[in-house]
């Protein structure tokens, strides 16, 4: 049966309120949770950027939910530090934590002052980071000289079972590449045909493990309100790669998105006041074979969404 989770958006919500929201989501019937890991929001209107790793410790302690996080090792984070973070949470909360690894975005990574590499270099760097992280979680002492440098690193605190390392992808080519190393695949909502192609590419290349999907949702009792929420909070997030990878700051995203039409937002967010439409959209993702679907309500107030989807949407999906 598909697991339905709550996506905790650090770019939009103060971490204290986000902790309240995820506790409430568990009580309302959500099965799991996942977290974004950003240094910067996508828009000044979103206005937050809590540190995901410290928040995850609090959230895992405050709930019984399994959690995941999407992370980009290699520039802002040294892979040995990410291995230590993964290992500590895995040791403290066995079987409840996974990490998805991707190549990142300039809006988060430029803060180091290092050059933002080409996509092919970022991909090669991520592959090195994956190997470093896996070796450290396996108990090896690691030294490595390449796009990242590691000198005699060893994790002294490790879980008995290393947490899953999930591949983050938005393209068919990247999904196929993730099959080389990942314990599962995660992507975001997109047209059904594209998602099917990604799944097929991953599986046909030998990809194993669960399929995760993050779904952007905007719901309110009134259609105009649902559209206004999505437009205010998520119109900066509608740009395809490489634009979304390469813009540096929230201010850049705000300028670029100043004249985005609502139709473009609706192509990236499932926007509707009709709960039946949301059930239908989510059922399509279930039928594609996704094992875990994390719902991200793009509004900054979460309680009404959590209560309504917990009572009216999730039961229908589970009964289908």
């Amino acid at each position: 049966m598909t697991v339905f989770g709550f996506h905790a958006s650090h770019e939009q919500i103060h971490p204290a309120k986000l902790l309240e929201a995820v506790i409430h989501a568990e009580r309302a019937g959500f099965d799991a949770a996942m977290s974004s890991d950003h240094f910067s929001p996508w828009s000044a209107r979103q206005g937050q950027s809590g540190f995901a790793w410290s928040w995850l410790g609090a959230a895992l302690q405050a709930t019984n939910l399994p959690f995941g996080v999407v992370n980009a090792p290699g520039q802002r984070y040294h892979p040995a530090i990410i291995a230590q973070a993964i290992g500590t949470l895995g040791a403290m909360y066995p079987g409840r934590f996974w990490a998805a690894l991707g190549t990142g975005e300039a809006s988060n990574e430029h803060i180091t002052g290092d050059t933002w590499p080409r996509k092919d270099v970022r991909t090669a760097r991520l592959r090195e980071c994956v190997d470093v992280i896996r070796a450290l979680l396996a108990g090896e002492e690691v030294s490595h000289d390449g796009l990242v440098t590691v000198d005699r690193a060893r994790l002294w605190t490790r879980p008995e079972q290393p947490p899953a390392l999930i591949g983050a992808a938005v393209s068919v080519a990247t999904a196929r590449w993730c099959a080389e190393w990942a314990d599962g695949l995660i992507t975001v909502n997109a047209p059904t045909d594209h998602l099917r192609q990604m799944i097929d590419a991953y599986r046909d290349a030998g990809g194993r493990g669960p399929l995760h999907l993050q779904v952007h949702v905007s719901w309110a009792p009134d259609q105009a309100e649902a559209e206004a929420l999505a437009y205010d909070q998520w119109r900066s997030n509608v740009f395809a790669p490489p634009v979304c990878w390469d813009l540096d700051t929230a201010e850049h995203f705000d300028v670029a998105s100043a004249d985005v039409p609502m139709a473009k937002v609706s192509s990236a967010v499932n926007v509707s006041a009709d709960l039946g439409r949301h059930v239908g959209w989510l059922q399509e993702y279930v039928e594609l074979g996704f094992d875990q679907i994390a719902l991200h309500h793009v509004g900054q107030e979460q309680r009404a969404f959590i209560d309504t989807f917990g009572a009216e949407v999730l039961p229908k999906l589970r009964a289908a």
Side-chain angles (χ1 to χ4, degrees), residues 216-277:
H216 302 305
V217 170
S218 184
W219 171 84
D222 175 76
Q223 181 66 23
E225 183 182 354
E227 292 178 0
L229 282 173
Y231 194 77
D232 177 70
Q233 284 293 294
W234 216 247
R235 71 176 181 268
S236 298
N237 298 64
V238 300
F239 303 112
V243 174
C244 60
W245 294 335
D246 292 344
L247 289 183
D248 283 342
T249 66
E251 290 77 13
H252 289 170
F253 278 97
D254 282 337
V255 171
S257 64
D259 299 315
V260 166
M262 183 62 208
K264 186 70 172 175
V265 178
S266 296
S267 71
V269 182
N270 291 346
V271 183
S272 183
D274 182 352
L275 294 174
R277 288 200 71 191

Side-chain angles (χ1 to χ4, degrees), residues 6 21-31 62-65 306:
F6 172 79
V22 78
I23 292 169
H24 189 63
E26 181 181 32
R27 293 171 179 164
F30 285 76
D31 304 313
T63 71
N64 292 306
L65 298 174
I306 290 169

Side-chain angles (χ1 to χ4, degrees), residues 107-108 188 195 216 293 299 310:
S107 61
N108 300 306
V188 296
L195 293 174
H216 302 305
I293 298 174

